[in-house]
Amino acid sequence: MAIKKATIQQQVAEALAQANPADKPIVTIQAVAGPSVWLMSMLGLIGQAFLSYYFVTVTEQAVVLHKASRMSNRPQEIVFAISPAEAVGSITEVKRNAVWSSFRMQLPGQAAPTRMNVHRIWRGEMDQLLGLLTGQNQPTA
């Protein structure tokens, strides 16, 4: 099971290279899609059923979302690949919190934006990703 951030980023980069050898990752984060992680944790296994785990990567050519394995924390299949032009306007409602920050991302085929929860260990990368997708510099803390 990959726990170190550098190991996870390397595994995502390898998965991207298999899908498109010409594309290079710029920044990768791990995000938990769904309602509040705190609330879902209080509901136990039932709450976990409402969460999906993803790796969100901005590459030189696209924004790519890999499904993340809950057991091994490895990237699985690519579920979305969004063009940079489409991705730029897809981020709304950025909320920075002490442990779990969140933002909403409009995914293709979804009626409403999806809430992406990001743990604080990924905050630096989240700020870089949001800066690339919104064109604004995010505060660092």
Side-chain angles (χ1 to χ4, degrees), residues 60-96:
E60 294 172 347
Q61 300 175 4
V63 177
V64 179
L65 276 80
H66 278 95
K67 195 87 158 150
S69 168
R70 289 184 188 218
M71 298 302 286
S72 66
N73 205 30
R74 288 180 168 269
Q76 295 180 321
E77 72 274 5
I78 293 173
V79 290
F80 296 105
I82 306 166
S83 70
E86 185 181 356
V88 166
S90 67
I91 304 294
T92 58
E93 296 182 47
V94 176
K95 295 180 182 173
R96 294 174 52 82

Side-chain angles (χ1 to χ4, degrees), residues 11-32:
Q11 290 172 349
V12 172
E14 290 168 0
L16 286 167
Q18 287 179 348
N20 183 357
D23 202 6
K24 303 283 184 250
I26 298 170
V27 63
T28 297
I29 65 170
Q30 186 170 24
V32 181

Side-chain angles (χ1 to χ4, degrees), residues 33-136:
S36 166
V37 176
W38 294 115
L39 176 63
M40 295 299 105
S41 293
M42 289 188 318
L43 295 175
L45 290 175
I46 294 170
Q48 291 298 308
F50 292 98
L51 299 175
S52 298
Y53 293 77
Y54 293 104
F55 295 111
V56 182
T57 305
V58 175
T59 71
E60 294 172 347
Q61 300 175 4
V63 177
V64 179
L65 276 80
H66 278 95
K67 195 87 158 150
S69 168
R70 289 184 188 218
M71 298 302 286
S72 66
N73 205 30
R74 288 180 168 269
Q76 295 180 321
E77 72 274 5
I78 293 173
V79 290
F80 296 105
I82 306 166
S83 70
E86 185 181 356
V88 166
S90 67
I91 304 294
T92 58
E93 296 182 47
V94 176
K95 295 180 182 173
R96 294 174 52 82
N97 294 308
V99 179
W100 286 98
S101 297
S102 67
F103 60 90
R104 295 194 184 269
M105 184 174 191
Q106 183 64 52
L107 299 173
Q110 305 291 321
T114 301
R115 178 180 166 142
M116 297 288 187
N117 301 289
V118 181
H119 192 271
R120 70 177 167 205
I121 65 168
W122 294 96
R123 183 164 299 142
E125 290 81 1
M126 180 188 84
D127 290 342
Q128 185 181 357
L129 181 136
L130 294 175
L132 291 167
L133 297 182
T134 64
Q136 302 172 357

